[in-house]
Structures are given as C-alpha cells and as structure tokens.
Amino acid sequence: MTVLLGLETSCDETAAAIVKDGRTLLSSCLVSQTPIHQKFGGVVPEVAARSHVQTINLMIDEALSKAGLTYDQLDGIACTRGPGLIGTLLIGLSAAKALSWSWNLPLKTVDHLFAHVCANFIDTDLEPPFVALLVSGGHTQILHFKNFDDIQILGETLDDAAGEAYDKVGRLLGLGYPGGPVIDKIASKGNPNAFKFPEGVVKGYDFSFSGLKTAVLRQVEKLQKVTDELPIEDLCASFQEAVTRVLVKKTLKAADELGLKTIVLAGGVAANRELRSKFEKASGYRVYFPSNHLCTDNAAMVAAAAFFHGENSKLNVGAYSRQPVRGSEE
Ligand code: KG4
Ligand code: ZN
C-alpha cells in the first residue's frame, strides 16, 4: 500500500490531497482563489502566489486530518513541478521539499498536464492504452497514452486553449471570470445553431480557437448595431457548439485511427456538460471523465499521477513554466 500526499499550486487553486495506491481518495482539500481574481478579470500571478503562501499549510493539515492520518503514515510527498506560474509553483514545490526533508519521505514531482489525465484513475479501473483529450485553461491536447512511460502528443492548439476561449468569450459577453462554467450553464437555454461560428480549419489533430473568439466578437458588434439586448443564450450555445464539435470530432478520429476504444477527458473544460454529452452519444467507445471537482485543478490528481509515474526528485529540483520539449528535462 502506498499513501501519497499531493500538493497543487500551479495557478489559482491551493490544494492538498491524500490518495492511496493512485486510485483511492482519502481526502481532497482546496481553496479556490477565483473570488480574489474575479475583480481583475483573470489571474494576477503575484496575488496568487501570496494567497498560496497563506493557505498551503492549512490545506496540508486539513488533508491529513480529513484522512485521519498522521505524517508518519505517509509514503511520500508529491507536487506539481510545471507547467504553470513560476511564482505559484515554487510555493507548492518549496512546501513539498520542506516536508520531504523534515519527515524523511521521498519527494515525487509530476507534470500538471499528466496529472490532469491521471484524475481519471481515481475510483475507476482505467488502464492504458487510451486516447486522452486534455482541455484546460492553458492547454488543449490530444494524447496517445500508450503506457505510463510512453505518451505521445498527437495534436494541440496553435493559439488559444479551449478554456481560454471560454474565458475570453465570457469576458466579451460580460459574464465575468472564469467564463467556462457560466457559458456552460447559459448555453443550455440557447439554440446551438442560431449562429454559425467557424471551427478553425487546422490540419491533423491540432486546433485553433482564436478565430472563433474573433468571430463571436464580430457577431456581437453586428448585433449591437441593431439591438440593445444581445441574445446571450444563443451566442453562448452557438460558441459552445463550435468548440465542442471540433474537440469531439478530432478526438474520435484519433481513437479510430489508432484502433482504440477508450477515451479519457481531462482538465477544467472536461466538466462541460455539452462536451460530455457529445462523447457519451458517440457509440462504441468507453468514455471516462473525472467528477467535476477532479476536472479543475486539484491535488488528488497530483498524488495519483505520482503513484503511477512520479519522478523521485532531489531537493534541488526546479519548477518549469512551460512544458519542456520531450527528452530535454534535466
Ligand atoms: O484545468 P483548469 O482548472 O486549470 C488549468 O490548468 O488551466 O481549467 C480551468 C479552465 C478555465 O478556462 C475554465 O473556464 C474552464 O476550465 N472550465 C470550463 C468549465 N468549468 C471550467 N469550461 C467549460 N465548461 C465548464 N463547465
Ligand atoms: Zn490545470
């Protein structure tokens, strides 16, 4: 039995969680900084870092007490090394190093994107190989997850990430930050075919969402010339239709070409109801997605990822803001 404490501070969630054998959640504690950043319309890195400093130790204590464990019952400390905001990553990494040193436990560092995918191992029987669609605020990737040591990026966004597109469209429609959950809710009341927005014509498994965001902006400008009341529900539904259609189409194509029947969704946008429903309607596939609280940033996915494939790191390990080119990690 391996019990790991995971820490996550790559952006604006301060989280600690304890997971047994990569699959059983013993506790998951989190403070979201969304209310702090909302007034700025996005995450302010220095404000985020200061907030992590204030709450990380509280989250660690809470994770241990909710799991009913003391530190001597842990087998290791896991944390996110990158990608993310350097100033915030260093807070989780420094806390993990300090605990590893003082509690004499191995330090395991994981990639945040790999961790998002690993949220799907919690409480399931999922095993590789599978195709994963990773859709978060900073990344959009289709991955061929052959095994824990061999993960190939088949395609990714050439500009905005899917979550970023949701956030930008949310802002331009005056819906606040983050746009994803609000658009998801409002879109369910609108007509997805009211406006024809472009999918972004990009070859292979890559994506482009910046043209879509501009198309929504142009449509809004056009409508504002003739009406004071924007059809927000139809705009949200039509935007969401364009995003989800292309994500599903390319992921299913990748699965078919590789002859794989298992599809895994991960990242904040994997909480989207329309995206899930489109995948569920595609017959002949086993589709996995984490419960909502494990889609957006959390520490349970970090502890799970470290169990399956965490590097045993030295205490001088650094953080990285961007995902390193494969093979170039030190
Ligand atoms: O994975 P995540 O928590 O953070 C990153 O690693 O980026 O993803 C956050 C993103 C935000 O862009 C947010 O708008 C989006 O996920 N999001 C959603 C939904 N819930 C969160 N997008 C669409 N529908 C949702 N229900
Ligand atoms: Zn994330």
Side-chain angles (χ1 to χ4, degrees), residues 8 10 112-113 116 136-137 267-268 295-297 301:
E8 158 62 38
S10 69
H112 182 74
L113 306 182
H116 266 301
S136 71
C295 283
T296 44
D297 289 349
M301 67 186 196

Side-chain angles (χ1 to χ4, degrees), residues 4-187:
L4 297 178
L5 167 69
L7 305 182
E8 158 62 38
T9 61
S10 69
C11 189
D12 61 343
E13 263 89 28
T14 317
I18 300 180
V19 175
K20 188 175 81 172
D21 294 335
R23 303 231 186 222
T24 309
L25 189 58
L26 300 183
S27 65
S28 181
C29 303
L30 180 148
V31 179
S32 167
Q33 300 174 8
T34 301
I36 301 174
H37 299 289
Q38 242 155 6
K39 59 177 173 289
F40 304 109
V43 178
V44 182
E46 179 62 18
V47 174
R50 288 174 192 220
S51 179
H52 285 305
V53 172
Q54 284 172 345
T55 43
I56 186 73
N57 287 333
L58 296 172
M59 289 300 99
I60 294 166
D61 286 348
E62 201 178 307
L64 280 166
S65 92
K66 279 199 175 154
L69 297 175
T70 48
Y71 75 88
D72 50 332
Q73 291 170 292
L74 297 173
D75 298 299
I77 312 289
C79 81
T80 309
R81 215 185 129 191
L85 302 168
I86 279 293
T88 65
L89 284 164
L90 286 174
I91 291 159
L93 186 57
S94 306
K97 286 179 182 179
L99 295 181
S100 152
W101 170 262
S102 57
W103 292 347
N104 196 24
L105 290 168
L107 171 68
K108 290 173 175 288
T109 57
V110 301
D111 181 271
H112 182 74
L113 306 182
F114 174 73
H116 266 301
V117 175
C118 289
N120 284 283
F121 292 108
I122 295 173
D123 284 336
T124 69
D125 55 359
L126 175 68
E127 292 287 348
F130 53 77
V131 168
L133 172 67
L134 170 74
V135 270
S136 71
H139 296 84
T140 301
Q141 296 181 336
I142 297 182
L143 304 160
H144 180 193
F145 203 111
K146 294 179 204 169
N147 57 56
F148 291 102
D149 297 310
D150 192 355
I151 303 160
Q152 194 192 344
I153 300 175
L154 301 175
E156 55 195 330
T157 184
L158 304 179
D159 39 58
D160 293 348
E164 195 178 353
Y166 268 95
D167 294 337
K168 287 182 175 172
V169 167
R171 207 170 301 141
L172 87 89
L173 295 177
L175 301 174
Y177 172 85
V182 194
I183 293 179
D184 185 354
K185 211 164 150 196
I186 297 178

